[in-house]
Amino acid sequence: MKSLRYFKRRTINNTIFFLSYASAVIGVAILLLILLYTVIKGASAINLDFFIKLPRPTGVPGGGIANALVGTFMVVGIASAIAIPVGVMAGIYLSEFGNNKFAPFIRYLADVLNSIPSIVTGVVAYVFVVLPMHRFSALAGGVALSIMMIPIITRTSEELIRMVPDTIREAALALGTPQWKVIIFIVLRTAAAGIATGVMLAVARVGGETAPLLFTAFNNSFMSVRPDQPISTMTVLIYNYASSPYADWNAMAWGAAFVLIVIVLIANIVSKIFTKTKYAL
Amino acid sequence: MKRRISDRLLKLISISFASIILILIIGIVYELIDGSMLSINRFGWRFLVTSTWDPVKNVFGAMPFIFGTMVSSIIALIIALPISMGIAIFLSELAPQKIRPSVSLMIEMLAAIPSIIYGLWGLFVMAPFLQIHVEPLLGKYLWFLPLFKGAPLGIGMLAGGLILSIMIIPTIASITRDILNTVPTLYKEAGLALGMTRWEVMSKIVFPHARSGVIGAIILGFGRALGETMAITMVIGNAPMISASLFSPSYTLASVIANEFSEAVSQLYISSLIELALLLFIISMIFNALARLLVRREKVLQ
């Protein structure tokens, strides 16, 4: 009897652990499947023209996504210009002056901001920017993305500034350095490399966003670098081309997806190596 | 001790930048409520339970979208839960030290892939596969269940739930892994010393110890599924209907906003869409607050 019960316990143990191995295999397999399809279907669409030409109508070969590449850089650039100063300064406040009741509240609000669904961010940017300006614009897209970037940069900056050892602050203060100089020239400089990778992670995260751009940056078939005009972005282009019934446009969507995934994965792996920031928040 | 003016200036500057976050939140909440006032005044509470969505007649009700959002996320959770738990157990207990970091990295990479790429893959790879190989089989052998009635279209509720499940697996798995890692080795060794099998140690010692955090991780994953937009928009079929069948197309709060916002012409139409955004905002706030409360208790997230 005793050995039968032992057998039963061992079988349950082995079955569950087998299922656990299987789950890990499934998880890795899904990642590889997605990467594999993107590489196979995307690589065939990619050549020099793909990067330097404008989109062409369906049926006309040789088009590219140059305007979308430029557009994504524009929109993400605008977002960074807004979010980096706000995020880093807020991070300084939370770590250096955060010894009060207001700071935990701000920290909580940053988490709230971070958990807003991206489509809602788009609606908010539409009301904030598109309605007053009466048109879709790169600026509106940038504002939408900056709302997503601010909490990420705030929290990573705070963490990284906090990691600077107190002895460094104390040594500088003991020499008679004013506190603001200690913070800007010593603490911030020490944490700069880490903050930069945090910013890169935030850029990679919002650069792949589509939902906030659909009705803010909208779309544009031509090359545009004007912040007050609608602009094409890689993600919206993928969405439009994937939803179209034309095979050549679908192929372009895969090509753009391939470029996007390469950028996003490289940024993520590099920042994972440099920081210990967990979860692609 | 008197502070230098320059020090106070830096404090002032940094506090005003930090306050931008507060102002932003107030602005978001105000604009969402203000923008949906027209629809709230017109439809009141009926908005939540009406299932007509007719831009031509200017009648709007959120019921099909609330249904679609909830059901697709629940399907996602049912599929993702066992797999994520399996991955978390694998990463915290079973994986050999040599492969642990790389498998961990790969699962985290799954979270970094943009949602539009999941959508693209779901539309061109997963949905056709479901249509040709999976749905006919389910229809053939489980025809007596209302869940599997109707023509196999590929895109629909099943595809939506499935793509969402893939997207929330990394979230649930990596947070659960970190929480399981916080359980002291001493407890596990005590269990093993008493002659428990490793699974008995997991189920009777590790999981009870980590319970609130694991539940928090699951809720966080669920909250993420609720707000997910692009991937599910591309595979769920986008038809505002309430059907018991998993094969039939559906629609979610996020998808209808994504599809119709830039085309909405009447004020009431836009206002109704903004009210959907407000609903989505409130729902995700509730789930996220709950999750953070439970996970933070385990001190994994700061």
Side-chain angles (χ1 to χ4, degrees), chain A residues 142-196:
Chain A
V143 167
L145 295 187
S146 77
I147 296 175
M148 305 186 66
M149 276 178 95
I150 287 173
I152 309 178
I153 298 182
T154 303
R155 295 308 302 271
T156 46
S157 308
E158 183 201 352
E159 259 168 59
L160 289 158
I161 294 172
R162 214 180 266 281
M163 272 162 62
V164 175
D166 273 340
T167 46
I168 292 182
R169 292 186 184 83
E170 283 158 8
L173 287 170
L175 291 171
T177 324
Q179 196 193 9
W180 71 273
K181 276 192 177 169
V182 175
I183 292 172
I184 303 279
F185 295 111
I186 297 170
V187 175
L188 204 56
R189 251 185 89 177
T190 314
I195 293 175

Side-chain angles (χ1 to χ4, degrees), chain A residues 15-197:
Chain A
T15 315
I16 300 233
F17 284 170
F18 171 76
L19 291 176
S20 168
Y21 271 93
S23 309
V25 171
I26 290 173
V28 171
I30 290 171
L31 177 74
L32 294 180
L33 265 179
I34 292 174
L35 293 182
L36 200 70
Y37 268 98
T38 313
V39 170
I40 291 172
K41 292 205 169 196
S44 59
I46 290 190
N47 45 47
L48 187 61
D49 280 354
F50 190 75
F51 293 102
I52 59 171
K53 291 271 172 66
L54 291 179
R56 301 237 170 114
T58 178
V60 183
I65 59 160
N67 59 337
L69 273 170
V70 171
T72 291
F73 277 107
M74 273 281 290
V75 174
V76 172
I78 293 171
S80 308
I82 302 168
I84 293 173
V86 175
V88 173
M89 288 309 279
I92 291 178
Y93 171 72
L94 291 178
S95 62
E96 299 296 305
F97 304 107
N99 210 353
N100 52 40
K101 281 188 178 153
F102 187 56
F105 180 57
I106 291 291
R107 209 171 285 136
Y108 172 75
L109 289 182
D111 286 345
V112 169
L113 205 55
N114 195 24
S115 55
I116 295 178
S118 59
I119 186 80
V120 177
T121 318
V123 172
V124 168
Y126 178 88
V127 179
F128 280 168
V129 187
V130 177
L131 282 185
M133 283 177 72
H134 297 292
R135 62 165 165 255
F136 301 114
S137 64
L139 181 67
V143 167
L145 295 187
S146 77
I147 296 175
M148 305 186 66
M149 276 178 95
I150 287 173
I152 309 178
I153 298 182
T154 303
R155 295 308 302 271
T156 46
S157 308
E158 183 201 352
E159 259 168 59
L160 289 158
I161 294 172
R162 214 180 266 281
M163 272 162 62
V164 175
D166 273 340
T167 46
I168 292 182
R169 292 186 184 83
E170 283 158 8
L173 287 170
L175 291 171
T177 324
Q179 196 193 9
W180 71 273
K181 276 192 177 169
V182 175
I183 292 172
I184 303 279
F185 295 111
I186 297 170
V187 175
L188 204 56
R189 251 185 89 177
T190 314
I195 293 175
T197 50

Side-chain angles (χ1 to χ4, degrees), chain B residues 272-293:
Chain B
S272 300
L273 286 168
I274 296 181
E275 191 176 350
L276 294 184
L278 178 66
L279 274 179
L280 194 56
F281 176 78
I282 295 170
I283 296 173
S284 19
M285 282 312 95
I286 293 172
F287 279 99
N288 270 286
L290 207 62
R292 280 177 195 280
L293 204 70

Side-chain angles (χ1 to χ4, degrees), chain B residues 234-282:
Chain B
M234 292 170 85
V235 298
I236 203 168
N238 299 334
M241 52 200 274
I242 298 177
S243 162
S245 172
L246 296 183
F247 295 170
S248 77
S250 183
Y251 222 156
T252 70
L253 289 167
S255 313
V256 68
I257 302 171
N259 277 328
E260 301 187 3
F261 204 88
S262 59
E263 289 155 17
V265 276
S266 79
Q267 290 295 321
L268 188 63
Y269 193 4
I270 291 183
S271 179
S272 300
L273 286 168
I274 296 181
E275 191 176 350
L276 294 184
L278 178 66
L279 274 179
L280 194 56
F281 176 78
I282 295 170

Side-chain angles (χ1 to χ4, degrees), chain A residues 9 13 17 20-21 23 89 106 109 111-112 115 117 119 126-128 179-180 210 239 242 264 272 279, chain B residues 3 6-7 13 22 31 83 86 90 108 112 116 178 195 198-200 230 259 261 284-285 288 296 300-301:
Chain A
R9 287 169 59 203
N13 184 61
F17 284 170
S20 168
Y21 271 93
S23 309
M89 288 309 279
I106 291 291
L109 289 182
D111 286 345
V112 169
S115 55
I119 186 80
Y126 178 88
V127 179
F128 280 168
Q179 196 193 9
W180 71 273
T210 318
Y239 180 56
V264 168
K272 284 250 158 58
Y279 325 123
Chain B
R3 291 190 157 223
S6 48
D7 288 351
I13 293 170
L22 173 66
E31 292 290 2
I83 297 177
F90 177 78
E108 279 165 26
I116 185 78
D178 291 347
R198 286 174 81 186
W199 166 245
E200 284 162 352
M230 294 322 292
N259 277 328
F261 204 88
S284 19
M285 282 312 95
N288 270 286
R296 197 159 303 166
V300 173
L301 298 170

